[in-house]
Amino acid sequence: MLPLVTIQKRLSVLKEWALEGNFIVKDFVFDSFKEISVFIGKIAEIVEKQKHHPDIIINGTNLRISLISHDERGLTSRDFDFAEEIDKIQ
């Protein structure tokens, strides 16, 4: 688990991610569910590559991604590496 100072430093270089409890989260708004589906397909490629799984909530055309290393019960570098990959496909 990362110390808070490291979490804040890593968050400062991400695009619009926020710390909520023990998670880092980001909200997305799309024009259609089809766009969400394409985006999730790209995220699935990251999941397969990194063997790390985000929590995803879809509400209409809004999508929220939450990241935490469940096995560590907190944030690790894996979560921030995953967030950086998501920012690249956005």
Side-chain angles (χ1 to χ4, degrees), residues 17-62:
W17 287 84
L19 181 64
E20 286 190 9
N22 291 329
F23 294 81
I24 55 172
V25 301
K26 185 170 182 176
D27 295 311
F28 301 83
V29 178
F30 295 88
D31 291 330
S32 69
F33 188 81
K34 185 174 182 178
E35 286 182 12
I36 290 174
S37 298
V38 170
F39 187 70
I40 290 175
K42 293 176 182 178
I43 291 173
E45 293 175 19
I46 300 168
V47 168
E48 292 300 313
K49 179 179 160 187
Q50 295 192 8
K51 305 296 184 213
H52 191 50
H53 300 84
D55 294 339
I56 298 173
I57 298 172
I58 300 170
N59 183 6
T61 56
N62 299 308

